[in-house]
């Protein structure tokens, strides 16, 4: 399993999964995303994005702020460190671009807290993210709260690092299919209306 930059040809795949997971597709650009890929099967397992917001030049503070957003892991790949590694890669990119702090607006704050994100007051958000928080709460995530992390404070739980090394897609158990017995029918003695006599 590894995490790499998304490719332009993956736009449809990304948009389909963003929509199906109810994630934010505002100002979508595939080049802002990374994708987790299983190196054996080539299957895509998860994705995420950093979005850079420009600030008003008349305001105090940095010229740009960085937001972590749209982290998604496909169902069969969950609980194996995929999302954690997507977050790690995105924070590395943010640090490489000169950002000391990365913000997130999410209703899933407990997930990001594992890595060192901390909840902040809405008043501490840079101006572009104050507006973004209101839009996000109205459109997608009514429980979105502001979080922040200093890039150098990111911590990967060792359990997730090890799980990622062994990650494999999990499929539904074959025993989950409904059978005649589930409906109280004995398949050895039942007769069927449309028996063809074969």
């Amino acid at each position: 399993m590894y995490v790499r930059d998304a490719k332009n040809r993956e736009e449809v795949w990304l948009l389909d999964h963003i929509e199906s997971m109810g994630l934010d597709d505002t100002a979508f650009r595939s080049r802002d995303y990374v994708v987790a890929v299983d190196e054996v099967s080539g299957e895509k397992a998860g994705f995420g994005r950093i979005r850079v917001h420009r600030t008003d030049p008349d305001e105090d503070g940095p010229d740009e702020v960085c937001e972590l957003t749209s982290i998604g892991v496909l169902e069969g790949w969950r609980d194996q460190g995929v999302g954690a590694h997507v977050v790690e890669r995105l924070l590395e990119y943010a640090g490489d671009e000169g950002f000391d702090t990365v913000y997130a607006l999410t209703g899933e704050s407990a997930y990001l807290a594992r890595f060192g994100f901390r909840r902040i007051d809405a008043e501490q958000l840079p101006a572009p993210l104050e507006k973004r928080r209101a839009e996000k709460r109205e459109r997608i995530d009514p429980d979105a709260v502001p979080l922040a992390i200093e890039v150098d404070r990111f911590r990967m739980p060792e359990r997730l690092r090890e799980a990622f090394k062994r990650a494999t897609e999990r499929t539904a158990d074959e025993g989950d299919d409904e059978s005649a017995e589930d409906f109280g029918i004995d398949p050895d003695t039942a007769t069927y209306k449309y028996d063809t006599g074969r």
Side-chain angles (χ1 to χ4, degrees):
M1 183 71 61
Y2 62 96
V3 179
R4 61 159 170 78
D5 293 343
K7 298 180 171 134
N8 285 340
R9 67 177 183 263
E10 293 171 325
E11 283 187 5
V12 172
W13 181 88
L14 283 165
L15 286 167
D16 284 349
H17 285 87
I18 288 166
E19 181 181 354
S20 71
M21 293 179 189
L23 300 174
D24 186 11
D25 65 354
T26 305
F28 175 86
R29 296 183 326 176
S30 61
R31 68 176 176 248
D32 295 338
Y33 284 80
V34 297
V35 176
V37 180
D38 179 47
E39 55 202 12
V40 175
S41 68
E43 292 292 317
K44 294 183 250 330
F47 56 90
R49 172 187 190 194
I50 54 173
R51 183 173 174 205
V52 176
H53 300 268
R54 302 210 187 291
T55 58
D56 187 334
D58 297 331
E59 294 179 13
D60 291 336
D63 295 336
E64 297 178 324
V65 293
C66 186
E67 176 193 9
L68 178 79
T69 186
S70 300
I71 306 299
V73 178
L74 279 64
E75 192 169 335
W77 294 96
R78 293 182 182 157
D79 300 319
Q80 299 184 73
V82 173
H85 281 77
V86 166
V87 170
E88 180 180 48
R89 177 59 57 91
L90 291 170
L91 289 178
E92 286 173 3
Y93 283 172
D96 291 346
E97 293 297 315
F99 291 101
D100 296 323
T101 304
V102 173
Y103 298 90
L105 303 166
T106 182
E108 302 293 333
S109 58
Y111 177 74
L112 291 177
R114 299 189 231 184
F115 311 118
F117 279 83
R118 69 190 188 299
R119 181 142 181 210
I120 61 172
D121 292 329
E123 298 78 37
Q124 293 177 278
L125 282 172
L129 293 180
E130 288 176 15
K131 180 180 174 189
R132 177 107 167 86
R133 178 177 169 262
E135 291 169 355
K136 195 165 188 175
R137 290 184 86 163
E138 186 177 309
R139 268 189 59 224
I140 298 163
D141 189 353
D143 299 322
V145 296
L147 305 170
I149 189 172
E150 285 71 36
V151 172
D152 62 353
R153 291 185 166 259
F154 175 82
R155 297 294 175 259
M156 171 75 71
E158 193 58 34
R159 175 185 68 77
L160 295 177
R161 190 166 304 284
E162 290 304 313
F164 188 70
K165 292 176 186 175
R166 300 182 308 276
T168 57
E169 186 173 19
R170 297 178 184 148
T171 56
D173 294 329
E174 289 176 310
D176 287 348
D177 293 336
E178 293 177 339
S179 67
E181 289 90 350
D182 292 331
F183 297 97
I185 300 169
D186 180 356
D188 296 326
T189 60
T191 59
Y192 298 93
K193 182 176 179 180
Y194 300 106
D195 188 353
T196 61
R198 293 187 188 175

